Amino acid sequence: MSTRRDPLTFGVLGTAGIARDAVIPAIAASDHAVGAVASRDGDRAATFAEALSIPQSYDSYEALLTDDRLDAVYVPLPNGLHAEWTTRAADAGLHVLCEKPLAVDAAEAREVVDHCEDRGVTLMEGFMYRYHPRTERVFELIDRELDDVRTVSSAFRFPLYGRPNDVRLDPALAGGSLMDVGCYPVSIARAVLGEPDRAYAHANDTRDDGVDTELAGVLEYADGRSARVASGFDTQLVQRYRIDATNGWIEVERAFDAPDDEPVEMTYEIDDRRGVETFGPVDQYRLQVEHFADCVADGTAPRTGGEEAIANMRVVDALAESAAEGGAVDVS
């Protein structure tokens, strides 16, 4: 890698929809730039690069990692490939912004985090909702005005139909609703309540593909607090969370993949005072990219850095184990 410079130049490993529709435009709208994209299909990479005005395309991920004009890589590959290509990017001296989940389980996540630390590169997991001003305001209200938060309830479901070959339905690539979108409800529950002690979950595989397409879980805390999390591919879109405390509550709709072209709201009732706060359009992916770049420049850990990724995966692992075997599972 060349000496770090500001702005950062990113390489993108793969041509996933989230890269095309969200993250590459976010990088382009920031002070940073995408310098190259790679696909295992060279023609696909070239077409993708032309459509998005990316100056260089490669017909392999390996080739992109040798481009000394790059400072960082964005990894939007299928879940089962995240760990491999994050560590290979780190070996090339490149900082890594990796889509969630960072790895297939907590043990693999630990290996990836340690590897990146050994290589001296910044690692960040792409939980973009954590960078939205609305999310930051939620935590401000929790810290300043809510007393004794007792429960969090959260769900992220969307309809995944008519795509039998979708990577999210492939067990070999760590598919399933828990891994794809269930990690968001887990993330907000942990961010509010801390690390749970036990987890219980029930799941269905309605497509007979070997992955969960519906999951509902409970996170238990030794002091009696709890969280309820749900994910799925079999119902219409819902993405929300509610936080309940002894003196009030906060509710957020369109909670995770918030639109960047229209306002969003947060509703609350605290100490018998009801309010609705509106937040103007903002690109949370751009805010995520800018936070990542700041961390690279300052040598600081991202808000959704490696240790956070490991902790989230511990809970995801426990939910998956409970759903597979039945009964509550200790989070360890």
Side-chain angles (χ1 to χ4, degrees):
M1 186 189 78
S2 60
T3 303
R4 198 209 69 79
R5 56 194 183 277
D6 192 15
L8 297 179
T9 301
F10 286 80
V12 178
L13 296 179
T15 56
I18 192 171
R20 179 191 65 236
D21 300 333
V23 177
I24 291 174
I27 295 171
S30 72
D31 292 334
H32 311 286
V34 176
V37 63
S39 171
R40 290 170 293 183
D41 181 330
D43 291 339
R44 181 178 177 86
T47 300
F48 189 92
E50 182 178 4
L52 293 170
S53 300
I54 298 171
Q56 180 68 52
S57 66
Y58 292 100
D59 62 3
S60 72
Y61 306 142
E62 294 91 342
L64 181 143
L65 296 182
T66 67
D67 188 334
D68 62 7
R69 295 167 297 181
L70 303 179
D71 303 294
V73 295
Y74 168 58
V75 182
L77 296 168
N79 297 336
L81 301 178
H82 288 178
E84 175 186 356
W85 290 101
T86 294
T87 55
R88 293 181 72 165
D91 287 339
L94 295 163
H95 305 288
V96 183
L97 170 58
C98 181
E99 272 305 321
K100 54 73 207 165
L102 177 63
V104 300
D105 56 31
E108 187 178 64
R110 168 53 68 192
E111 292 174 359
V112 172
V113 171
D114 289 348
H115 191 92
C116 289
E117 289 179 353
D118 288 344
R119 298 301 185 273
V121 302
T122 298
L123 172 64
M124 178 168 156
E125 188 178 32
F127 274 107
M128 71 296 183
Y129 86 96
R130 291 290 305 273
Y131 302 95
H132 197 289
R134 177 177 60 180
T135 308
E136 294 175 341
R137 174 60 174 154
V138 166
F139 285 104
E140 182 180 80
L141 284 175
I142 292 170
D143 290 341
R144 296 182 180 180
E145 300 193 38
L146 283 186
D147 297 331
D148 190 16
V149 174
R150 302 303 303 167
T151 66
V152 174
S153 300
S154 183
F156 195 163
R157 305 184 187 96
F158 72 97
L160 181 60
Y161 296 125
R163 299 171 64 175
N165 297 319
D166 193 291
V167 296
R168 289 169 287 197
L169 298 174
D170 188 343
L173 293 173
S177 75
L178 174 61
M179 290 287 280
D180 186 51
V181 290
C183 54
Y184 287 98
V186 170
S187 170
I188 188 64
R190 291 182 43 260
V192 175
L193 295 173
E195 304 306 326
D197 296 289
R198 291 170 67 78
Y200 172 79
H202 172 75
N204 285 319
D205 175 8
T206 59
R207 319 293 175 83
D208 197 27
D209 282 320
V211 301
D212 68 279
T213 59
E214 297 176 331
L215 182 137
V218 176
L219 307 181
E220 302 174 354
Y221 292 77
D223 61 5
R225 295 174 301 146
S226 65
R228 287 158 180 79
V229 298
S231 60
F233 297 150
D234 295 335
T235 60
Q236 294 304 299
L237 176 64
V238 57
Q239 43 169 325
R240 65 166 66 101
Y241 61 82
R242 177 179 168 113
I243 299 162
D244 283 280
T246 55
N247 67 326
W249 51 264
I250 301 170
E251 286 188 346
V252 175
E253 298 283 347
R254 295 194 293 180
F256 303 113
D257 192 16
D260 62 5
D261 58 353
E262 58 185 282
V264 295
E265 294 181 344
M266 172 188 64
T267 305
Y268 62 87
E269 186 174 294
I270 301 174
D271 294 325
D272 298 321
R273 184 185 81 257
R274 190 179 180 95
V276 178
E277 295 188 12
T278 302
F279 301 80
V282 65
D283 184 351
Q284 60 186 351
Y285 288 98
R286 177 177 175 175
L287 297 175
Q288 173 182 261
V289 166
E290 290 170 344
H291 178 82
F292 173 77
D294 288 344
C295 291
V296 169
D298 298 338
T300 54
R303 185 178 305 165
T304 55
E307 295 301 325
E308 172 69 12
I310 295 166
N312 214 61
M313 283 308 306
R314 288 194 187 105
V315 180
V316 170
D317 288 351
L319 289 166
E321 181 181 348
S322 175
E325 299 183 2
V329 171
D330 289 339
V331 177
S332 60

